[in-house]
Amino acid sequence: MTVYDELVARGLIAQVTDEEEIKELINNGKATFYIGFDPTADSLHVGHFMALCLMKRLQMAGNKPIALIGGGTGMIGDPSGRTDMRQMMTPETIQHNCDCFKEQMSKFIDFSEGKALMVNNADWLMDLNYIEVLREVGPHFSVNRMLTAECYKQRMEKGLSFLEFNYMIMQSYDFYALFQKYGCNMQFGGDDQWSNMLGGTELIRRKLGKDAYAMTITLLLNSEGKKMGKTQSGAVWLDPNKTSPFDFYQYWRNVADADVLKCIRMLTFLPLEEIDKMDSWEGAQLNQAKEILAYELTKLVHGEEEAAKAQESAKALFSSGNAADMPSVTLSEEDFAEGTIDILSLLVKSGLTPSRSEARRAVEQGGVSVDGQKVTDIKTVYGADAFADGMVLKKGKKNFRKIL
């Protein structure tokens, strides 16, 4: 099976241009490709996971990845729904976030000896002259055609600002700049970026001629889509200081039955032959598949030792209600009112619920327990001595915290 055929078999490819040329480049290690990342945080999250895994697969086949940091485009809104100016980040903040990204990406991608690059589109977008853009780039974009793009059509009823309208031009210019500066001949992106990506391909060909190699491929996201990086309590980060290896493991252990095999195909590096055998798995076997998924992805991000510890802790937790490696929260004196803390405050403080109202619902619905005992009274309180040896707080079937 060729590299491209494997991408298709794993469900990663949605749409392409010039498929035969793309196959030639990818299968023979001739692709220099980019994927964009928005540097608005100092950590990547699981919403970036598919892109990172794809970059790793293609680099293993001899292709060259470029991680494009959107320091320039990140300062304006885009047609996906944001209409306001993004907060201006200082160059120092952007550089710090880039450094954090590169450290995390290095677990997937080899940046040594020019085998991969990380570049910031602020390097060329911030220096553009407005009149120059109008003269050199503007003539290559049809307003009528831009308005037919799905990303703009969805915004027309609510109003499409000129700021948003320029996003396609800026993203298209990225591909043009990367092509000229680094010989980038391929771009990848989510299927919601298709129109923007086509704009880049057409800009290169119109300015440099039809013989200029410029390909586009979009990724077919699984049913979680953009929600993949979000949970009830917020983002699931790759940084262990933001999301512990245990919580990271638990996130993947808790994926829906309908998604587990798709995630294994798209995100793990297990052989397809092995994954195909799981297609007939049902019931308890799907739980085994979830454990495989969680272990493989935790190993990829946090290393084999942390993955093994997370798996052992999860199994110990389900069997005995305790685990040494469980995520913990330490209470302070300020958390106690007159020497006690109520169950609702405890749920919010632990991060198991985002608000007291949701904590109340969880208790009233019978989904909360402390040290294995169900809590049904929302007025339940605990004194400081109750946490001397640590208390195991549980919400639902699979969400735990050790309270100290």
Side-chain angles (χ1 to χ4, degrees):
M1 181 180 292
T2 67
V3 178
Y4 183 83
D5 288 342
E6 182 173 354
L7 296 182
V8 173
R10 288 184 179 273
L12 290 168
I13 305 300
Q15 300 180 77
V16 302
T17 62
D18 308 293
E19 186 173 49
E20 292 307 313
E21 288 86 349
I22 289 172
K23 288 181 180 179
E24 166 69 18
L25 292 173
I26 288 179
N27 292 338
N28 293 289
K30 297 178 181 179
T32 298
F33 66 97
Y34 93 88
I35 297 179
F37 298 84
D38 196 342
T40 52
D42 58 3
S43 174
L44 298 166
H45 55 70
V46 297
H48 298 115
F49 214 89
M50 184 175 292
L52 296 173
C53 292
L54 178 76
M55 294 170 87
K56 180 179 175 70
R57 289 184 204 283
L58 293 180
Q59 188 180 52
M60 289 169 61
N63 300 287
K64 183 175 181 177
I66 298 177
L68 178 66
I69 304 301
T73 47
M75 292 183 178
I76 66 172
D78 73 54
S80 62
R82 191 177 183 115
T83 60
D84 57 325
M85 283 287 287
R86 299 189 182 189
Q87 182 179 358
M88 288 285 192
M89 295 181 292
T90 65
E92 292 77 15
T93 299
I94 292 176
Q95 186 58 54
H96 171 70
N97 292 349
C98 288
D99 292 341
C100 294
F101 280 16
K102 191 167 185 178
E103 182 179 353
Q104 293 173 0
M105 288 179 179
S106 294
K107 297 177 181 179
F108 298 80
I109 304 162
D110 182 4
F111 285 96
S112 67
E113 301 174 354
K115 295 176 183 176
L117 297 173
M118 175 178 281
V119 298
N120 188 338
N121 66 9
D123 293 345
W124 53 83
L125 292 181
M126 299 295 281
D127 293 332
L128 286 177
N129 177 281
Y130 186 63
I131 299 299
E132 181 182 354
V133 172
L134 290 178
R135 287 175 56 88
E136 301 298 324
V137 180
H140 300 289
F141 287 84
S142 163
V143 171
N144 289 348
R145 186 168 180 181
M146 291 172 71
L147 289 174
T148 65
E150 193 63 33
C151 59
Y152 288 133
K153 285 164 59 178
Q154 294 173 359
R155 300 288 299 153
M156 287 297 288
E157 291 184 7
K158 295 182 179 180
L160 180 67
S161 72
F162 185 68
L163 179 71
E164 295 175 282
F165 198 59
N166 275 267
Y167 193 84
M168 180 185 292
I169 295 175
M170 295 295 96
Q171 185 172 333
S172 299
Y173 193 87
D174 282 342
F175 195 17
Y176 172 70
L178 289 169
F179 181 88
Q180 289 194 302
K181 290 175 178 288
Y182 306 107
C184 180
N185 53 22
M186 192 174 295
Q187 58 180 332
F188 286 78
D191 51 6
D192 60 325
Q193 295 293 311
W194 182 243
S195 298
N196 295 346
M197 294 167 66
L198 286 179
T201 297
E202 293 179 3
L203 178 61
I204 291 173
R205 293 180 178 178
R206 290 188 179 189
K207 285 188 69 67
L208 303 178
K210 292 185 178 180
D211 291 336
Y213 264 179
M215 315 298 176
T216 57
I217 296 184
T218 66
L219 307 185
L220 176 61
L221 303 181
N222 68 18
S223 60
E224 293 275 292
K226 289 186 175 180
K227 297 185 294 182
M228 184 183 285
K230 299 288 183 181
T231 64
Q232 192 175 49
S233 301
V236 177
W237 304 99
L238 304 196
D239 183 344
N241 295 315
K242 290 177 174 286
T243 298
S244 71
F246 179 89
D247 278 343
F248 187 85
Y249 177 95
Q250 284 295 96
Y251 173 80
W252 295 107
R253 173 63 180 79
N254 293 339
V255 300
D257 289 355
D259 291 336
V260 59
L261 292 182
K262 287 185 285 186
C263 287
I264 289 178
R265 275 197 175 84
M266 292 177 174
L267 304 179
T268 77
F269 289 79
L270 296 175
L272 281 170
E273 296 81 4
E274 183 177 336
I275 300 172
D276 288 341
K277 295 177 182 177
M278 302 179 190
D279 280 338
S280 60
W281 286 12
E282 298 177 349
Q285 288 179 309
L286 286 179
N287 287 330
Q288 182 183 346
K290 293 177 185 181
E291 291 177 358
I292 292 171
L293 172 69
Y295 178 82
E296 290 296 324
L297 298 189
T298 306
K299 179 175 70 172
L300 191 59
V301 174
H302 298 296
E304 192 166 1
E305 181 178 353
E306 289 294 339
K309 286 168 60 177
Q311 187 171 65
E312 290 170 8
S313 291
K315 290 181 177 179
L317 192 59
F318 295 140
S319 61
S320 64
N322 203 353
D325 221 28
M326 190 191 315
S328 63
V329 174
T330 301
L331 301 178
S332 64
E333 290 184 12
E334 291 75 19
D335 294 317
F336 293 89
E338 299 181 356
T340 64
I341 183 171
D342 65 85
I343 186 64
L344 303 187
S345 297
L346 206 55
L347 286 164
V348 174
K349 175 69 178 179
S350 69
L352 289 176
T353 63
S355 66
R356 288 180 64 85
S357 60
E358 186 161 327
R360 175 190 291 267
R361 284 195 295 273
V363 172
E364 291 176 341
Q365 293 171 3
V368 175
S369 66
V370 170
D371 289 336
Q373 298 297 314
K374 184 177 292 188
V375 179
T376 57
D377 186 354
I378 61 172
K379 297 180 180 179
T380 302
V381 296
Y382 302 91
D385 57 347
F387 306 95
D389 297 321
M391 170 193 288
V392 176
L393 181 63
K394 176 183 175 184
K395 184 181 80 72
K397 294 182 178 180
K398 302 171 183 177
N399 299 302
F400 300 83
R401 290 292 186 277
K402 190 166 188 175
I403 313 297
L404 302 170

